[in-house]
Amino acid sequence: MNNLLILPILIPLLTAIVLMMLSKYVNAQRVLSAVSTVATIAASIVLIRKVSVNGIQTLNLSNWEAPFGITLVSDMLSALLVTTTSIITFVVILYSFKSIGRDRERFYYYPVVQFLLVGVNGAFTTGDIFNLFVFFEVMLMSSYVLLVLGGTKGQLRESIKYILVNIISSALFVITVAYLYSVVGTLNMADISMKISEVEQPAILTVIAILFLLVFGLKGAIFPLYFWLPGSYFAPPTPILALFGALLTKVGVYSIMRTYTLFFYHDTGYTHQILSVLAIITIVMGCIGALAYWDVKKIIIYNIIIAVGVILFGVSVMTPGSLEGSVYYIIHDMIIKSALFLLVGVMAFIVGTSDLKKMGGLIKDYPWLGWTFFVAALSLAGIPPLSGFIGKLLIVRGSFEGEAYVGAGIILASSLAVLYSVLKIFLNGIWGKPKEYKVTSKGNVNYLWFTSAILVGLAVCYGFGADVIRPLISQAAEVLVDPNIYIQAVLKE
Amino acid sequence: MEILMAIVIGFLFMSAVYLMLSKSLLRIIIGTGLLSHGAHLLILSVSGLKDKAAAPLLGEHAKDYVDPLPQALILTAIVISFGVTAFFLVLAYRAYQELGTDNVDQMRGTEGNE
């Protein structure tokens, strides 16, 4: 059944429409959104199986031949990302039951989360550059609503900035697509790639490549364009923050991966050099932020920026090893970031603030929470058997092969900064002298801990089961290394 | 014709950037409006502005039609920017009610971090 690859978009879309009619019945909304997200996960896992057996899956919508209609393309990279996205959304929905609060739940919280899932899954699956823009907007529009939902002062203030930045980047996206269309005369990504290799990327296409870097860099928070992220991500409540931190920037990173491996691989000396320099500075800036703050949310937020830098550095080196490492790392990072945000959310829930200086000694009352956080922290830093290790190892090895020694050194050094920043949370918040905090119901805390532990468990499995998953990752990286596989799958020559 | 359009679009972008760098929230929103006008005009002009081509309606039975694709793209982009602008305007209204100012300079301060 070839319609399989539209299911991860269609199921949440239909669910969202149904959920909008049930806005008064919170329990029905909870059950329905959880059940449908499980269905989305199931569909995407079947999709992974299908892609691993039969190769890249494509679907020409309403039977229009490839360059003329919209084509959905599911290669292994997008199938893996779609699955990861759906799993994270499922866990976040479970977490929301006890943390987001009735008021938000009654005002269309669950439908908007489903729309966000539509946007992200669609952006990962589409094979058309303008359709990518539309799915970006679906995702962004839901993120605006999620960011401002509740209407506290901080949220209103940060939403204004976030929306303004994204309006500008969307306008830039439209402009860039217009330029690209005027040069190549097509919108289908495989066809664009073919046309670009026919004209061998003249200078104007290099300009367009840099414009794409600006557009997706604004979404994915790379060095000079990440200024909006720390404030905006600080405003919303924990589950929304976990969704944003895990998914939104990664869509930007994925789009850079796609465009820079599928379109603009002819003049890597210029474009990829810039990407690599920006990635390195992104890592450094993220490290500075992560070390500077004494706020648990801010520390993890700056860790997002570091991870974006690491992944993009792997992309910029363009050796098979580093690309494989990037694929490994992006999935690891999505899982572990959402897990960490949920865990620090539990900590902030217990203490009543996210200020690290007001926390302390949580291990006495909540030992399981403490140790789960410890595992997640080590996993984030990339301690060997855990999930962050293999990705970073492959990226570093790949960059040594590509003779990018400076970047590799900085990635290794950044791991230290990452480890220090999360252990700072561990040593001060979970260890240390117990401080006074308002007693909250332990049942709630245990529930929230349990849901976040699902993701940590998943991250641990991802680390230990690296061998099992390796063939899938290699298959995903293959397409990035050789764009012809992608083109042939779509245009079927 | 395309050159004239390029200059006009350039002016639109210039005014948009200027307005978006100002302090009043409403001026910023007007800037985003101009920015999207510029972007939409740009899509229309990059595919070429033919002088003697018919509107893309098959009933016209013309020899030459204008490129229909950019028109579809613009239509999509217009409704999207409508949606976003409507949301932004209401958000600005709410923010004015809650925060009591429309000056973005005074919308500083992120509680919770030093």
Side-chain angles (χ1 to χ4, degrees):
Chain A
M1 191 177 68
N2 210 4
N3 283 336
L4 182 65
L5 66 147
I6 205 173
L7 284 185
I9 306 170
L10 204 58
I11 296 174
L13 180 64
L14 292 177
T15 316
I17 293 169
V18 174
L19 284 178
M20 281 197 289
M21 297 164 195
L22 299 174
S23 65
K24 295 241 161 43
Y25 310 97
V26 172
N27 284 330
Q29 282 198 70
R30 289 175 173 179
V31 173
L32 190 59
S33 54
V35 168
S36 88
T37 320
V38 170
T40 317
I41 297 173
S44 55
I45 288 175
V46 176
L47 180 63
I48 287 190
R49 247 193 91 69
K50 182 112 178 171
V51 175
S52 77
V53 176
N54 299 343
I56 300 175
Q57 298 292 305
T58 62
L59 173 63
N60 292 331
L61 295 178
S62 29
N63 266 337
W64 288 97
E65 285 297 313
F68 302 115
I70 287 175
T71 313
L72 297 182
V73 186
S74 216
D75 62 344
M76 188 45 90
L77 176 61
S78 70
L80 283 172
L81 290 175
V82 163
T83 312
T84 319
T85 305
S86 313
I87 293 173
I88 289 168
T89 313
F90 174 65
V91 175
V92 169
I93 286 174
L94 289 187
Y95 188 96
S96 312
F97 290 170
K98 294 246 161 119
S99 98
I100 198 80
R102 290 250 152 189
D103 289 341
R104 286 195 171 94
E105 278 176 311
R106 235 174 305 163
F107 279 95
Y108 305 97
Y109 171 71
Y110 293 112
V112 181
V113 170
Q114 296 290 330
F115 275 124
L116 187 77
L117 187 59
V118 173
V120 175
N121 278 353
F124 285 144
T125 318
T126 186
D128 183 284
I129 197 79
F130 196 76
N131 199 225
L132 180 68
F133 164 73
V134 174
F135 276 122
F136 259 115
E137 288 301 315
V138 172
M139 172 187 99
L140 289 173
M141 198 72 194
S142 354
S143 73
Y144 303 153
V145 178
L146 284 178
L147 187 58
V148 81
L149 192 66
T152 62
K153 283 186 178 170
Q155 280 178 303
L156 285 168
R157 202 169 45 211
E158 294 307 325
S159 304
I160 288 177
K161 296 170 193 165
Y162 178 75
I163 292 183
L164 183 61
V165 167
N166 279 301
I167 286 179
I168 295 170
S169 85
S170 297
L172 260 180
F173 197 168
V174 172
I175 293 165
T176 314
V177 169
Y179 284 149
L180 187 62
Y181 179 71
S182 76
V183 177
V184 295
T186 174
L187 293 168
N188 181 300
M189 279 153 67
D191 202 28
I192 291 173
S193 170
M194 217 172 66
K195 295 269 158 61
I196 289 178
S197 62
E198 273 167 18
V199 293
E200 286 176 340
Q201 195 166 339
I204 181 73
L205 278 164
T206 308
V207 174
I208 293 171
I210 298 297
L211 272 173
F212 267 122
L213 187 60
L214 277 178
V215 171
F216 297 138
L218 264 169
K219 320 256 183 200
I222 63 174
F223 156 61
L225 310 167
Y226 71 92
F227 54 89
W228 55 272
L229 185 134
S232 305
Y233 280 22
F234 191 77
T238 312
I240 298 172
L241 170 61
L243 270 184
F244 284 15
L247 307 180
L248 297 193
T249 52
K250 302 305 177 300
V251 180
V253 173
Y254 165 82
S255 310
I256 293 180
M257 278 169 106
R258 239 329 150 233
T259 46
Y260 273 59
T261 56
L262 186 62
F263 297 173
F264 309 114
Y265 56 92
H266 303 280
D267 188 14
T268 54
Y270 187 74
T271 48
H272 289 58
Q273 195 66 44
I274 287 183
L275 182 61
S276 116
V277 171
L278 290 183
I280 291 174
I281 307 177
T282 309
I283 298 174
V284 174
M285 288 300 172
C287 286
I288 293 173
L291 295 177
Y293 278 96
W294 278 83
D295 184 292
V296 287
K297 277 167 148 184
K298 285 267 168 170
I299 292 173
I300 312 291
I301 286 171
Y302 276 99
N303 270 301
I304 302 178
I305 299 175
I306 302 176
V308 166
V310 172
I311 299 166
L312 287 181
F313 184 75
V315 176
S316 75
V317 178
M318 285 289 267
T319 57
S322 73
L323 285 171
E324 196 178 338
S326 290
V327 176
Y328 238 113
Y329 203 79
I330 192 172
I331 294 168
H332 145 78
D333 191 65
M334 287 166 82
I335 299 174
I336 202 70
K337 280 291 141 56
S338 47
L340 275 170
F341 276 124
L342 295 181
L343 282 171
V344 297
V346 181
M347 290 167 66
F349 176 71
I350 296 168
V351 184
T353 168
S354 59
D355 188 351
L356 192 50
K357 285 181 177 152
K358 294 191 178 122
M359 292 182 181
L362 288 178
I363 194 103
K364 196 161 145 267
D365 287 333
Y366 306 98
W368 284 107
L369 175 68
W371 292 117
T372 323
F373 184 82
F374 187 63
V375 173
L378 293 188
S379 183
L380 179 73
I383 305 294
L386 296 164
S387 64
F389 172 66
I390 306 121
K392 244 179 214 170
L393 176 73
L394 288 171
I395 292 178
V396 168
R397 205 163 64 187
S399 21
F400 276 130
E401 277 164 22
E403 295 178 348
Y405 300 112
V406 182
I410 284 180
I411 286 181
L412 290 175
S414 78
S415 307
L416 272 181
V418 169
L419 187 63
Y420 177 78
S421 69
V422 274
L423 282 187
K424 186 163 85 178
I425 301 180
F426 184 74
L427 290 177
N428 292 291
I430 290 171
W431 246 205
K433 213 186 274 171
K435 296 227 169 108
E436 285 291 312
Y437 38 78
K438 59 169 191 206
V439 184
T440 37
S441 77
K442 269 207 159 160
N444 265 355
V445 174
N446 281 337
Y447 176 84
L448 294 181
W449 164 74
F450 177 73
T451 41
S452 16
I454 299 174
L455 282 176
V456 179
L458 198 67
V460 172
C461 294
Y462 185 66
F464 278 98
D467 275 340
V468 185
I469 263 182
R470 184 76 190 264
L472 302 182
I473 305 278
S474 317
Q475 199 188 344
E478 231 167 54
V479 180
L480 298 181
V481 176
D482 182 10
N484 284 324
I485 303 176
Y486 186 97
I487 297 171
Q488 264 155 24
V490 176
L491 297 177
K492 298 203 179 66
E493 287 157 279
Chain B
M1 190 64 186
E2 280 88 352
I3 292 182
L4 186 65
M5 285 302 278
I7 292 168
V8 170
I9 294 163
F11 264 104
L12 278 174
F13 284 157
M14 186 187 74
S15 343
V17 170
Y18 176 73
L19 282 172
M20 282 191 294
L21 289 175
S22 56
K23 284 181 182 168
S24 149
L25 196 49
L26 266 181
R27 285 167 75 97
I28 292 176
I29 298 177
I30 294 171
T32 63
L34 288 184
L35 184 68
S36 54
H37 280 324
H40 300 155
L41 280 178
L42 184 73
I43 310 184
L44 199 62
S45 347
V46 288
S47 71
L49 299 163
K50 291 182 217 160
D51 262 350
K52 289 194 179 111
L57 299 167
L58 289 181
E60 298 276 308
H61 299 295
K63 270 202 184 122
D64 195 13
Y65 291 98
V66 294
D67 190 353
L69 196 62
Q71 303 196 5
L73 302 188
I74 291 173
L75 203 56
T76 316
I78 285 174
V79 288
I80 289 175
S81 70
F82 257 176
V84 176
T85 308
F87 188 84
F88 199 8
L89 278 168
V90 176
L91 181 71
Y93 181 58
R94 260 313 267 158
Y96 177 69
Q97 282 181 326
E98 287 283 320
L99 306 173
T101 175
D102 77 329
N103 188 333
V104 276
D105 242 12
Q106 288 167 13
M107 291 188 192
R108 282 166 199 254
T110 36
E111 62 255 3
N113 55 335
E114 296 111 294

